[in-house]
Amino acid sequence: MTPRRFAPLVSLVGAGPGDPDLLTRKAARRLSEADLVLYDALVTPETLSLAGGATRISVGKRAGRPGTSQPAIHKIMIRAARRGRRVVRLKCGDPFVLGRGGEEAQALAAAGIPFEVVPGVSAALAAPALAGIPVTHRGLASAFVVVSGHSERAYGPVLDGLAPGSLTVVVLMGLASRAELAGRLLRRGWLPATPAAVLLATSTATETTWIGTLSELGASALVEAGRPGTIVIGDVVALAGAGVAEGARAEAARAR
Ligand SMILES: C[S@@+](CC[C@H](N)C(=O)[O-])C[C@H]1O[C@@H](n2cnc3c(N)ncnc32)[C@H](O)[C@@H]1O
């Protein structure tokens, strides 16, 4: 069959935290219309199944193995778009939050390929929300910061600049460095009793929540089993048991 040809367009699409019900309508539409989907490791099979008959290529890092290099991803997107394929670059959460989506947009712009960004629900917001933790709450926190826990160079200067206890800290990619992160905040004067949460595989069937304090976070026993996790630190974590999560779970159980 002769492939369909369209004016080149690459859609940089946010897949949200995992549950396809948390996709935007536009993301779901772009997936259903796609010819080629390049997806990251954290994109769930349920989300990917919305891609219908598209060719699907995994370009993410898996279990310590390197994924497709960034320049190679750019090349595949550009070549496919020039051939008139509808390309979806599907990234977990929001494509422009700690996911190198900006670099992909720059590469497409440099190659003269029209592209669009379809925002997604970032895990930085979805994970606390689904656990019943409002990242801001009158009287507890009127701001939040999202940092990458991937390297000390990334989070160090940000955390050092925060007045202890003044806001909610959300850490992505921080499971392996949780002891260093917690130690750093404690040394900066954060109270050991500050509530902390680790939210694993939010919105998926293997979702798990750990709740404790900042002083317990470093030694928290987590069975990560390859699951992604979001860390939340701040007084708002104490609201996690306030009924929101229970309500959401009951709602989910009713819907099943
Ligand atoms: C490379 S970053 C990309 C973030 C993504 N662009 C976003 O906006 O959510 C991947 C990190 O997001 C977090 N994450 C993604 N999906 C998650 C989920 N379902 N539950 C908890 N954390 C998740 C984890 O911290 C993971 O290491």
Side-chain angles (χ1 to χ4, degrees):
M1 199 167 70
T2 318
R4 291 173 297 162
R5 289 189 70 88
F6 296 96
L9 175 69
V10 175
S11 303
L12 302 174
V13 176
D19 179 352
D21 276 355
L22 295 174
L23 285 172
T24 63
R25 288 163 66 108
K26 190 167 185 175
R29 198 165 65 242
R30 288 292 183 262
L31 276 173
S32 71
E33 295 165 351
D35 294 310
L36 173 66
V37 179
L38 303 175
Y39 64 96
D40 283 343
L42 292 179
V43 171
T44 58
E46 294 79 11
T47 301
L48 210 49
S49 71
L50 301 180
T55 302
R56 303 162 199 184
I57 303 178
S58 164
V59 293
K61 298 188 194 76
R62 269 170 203 274
R65 274 182 284 141
T68 309
S69 72
Q70 209 51 56
I73 294 172
H74 300 167
K75 212 158 135 187
I76 300 170
M77 289 193 296
I78 291 166
R79 204 167 45 198
R82 285 196 176 132
R83 287 184 180 157
R85 319 307 289 148
R86 295 188 193 187
V87 182
V88 166
R89 173 68 176 108
L90 189 60
K91 302 170 82 70
C92 80
D94 181 90
F96 276 7
V97 175
L98 297 175
R100 306 190 72 173
E103 289 168 52
E104 296 177 8
Q106 284 177 326
L108 293 165
I113 303 289
F115 66 92
E116 64 174 357
V117 180
V118 181
V121 183
S122 175
L125 296 174
L130 292 171
I133 301 169
V135 286
T136 63
H137 191 81
R138 188 180 287 265
L140 291 183
S142 54
F144 63 95
V145 64
V146 180
V147 294
S148 164
H150 180 63
S151 83
E152 192 271 340
R153 255 186 329 143
Y155 64 75
V158 179
L159 297 187
D160 289 354
L162 304 175
S166 61
L167 77 181
T168 305
V169 178
V170 179
V171 188
L172 301 185
M173 296 179 278
L175 294 182
S177 56
R178 62 188 184 277
E180 291 92 82
L181 285 157
R184 191 168 197 117
L185 290 174
L186 290 167
R187 284 193 301 280
R188 300 291 303 178
W190 287 64
L191 295 176
T194 305
V198 182
L199 311 163
L200 293 172
T202 283
S203 88
T204 75
T206 61
E207 175 179 293
T208 309
T209 299
W210 174 93
I211 303 240
T213 63
L214 187 56
S215 62
E216 295 164 344
L217 176 62
S220 51
L222 303 174
V223 184
E224 294 162 32
R227 289 177 291 175
T230 294
I231 299 172
V232 186
I233 300 163
D235 289 337
V236 290
V237 173
L239 301 175
V244 183
E246 283 69 19
R249 262 182 231 120
E251 179 66 28
R254 270 198 299 279
R256 262 181 228 126

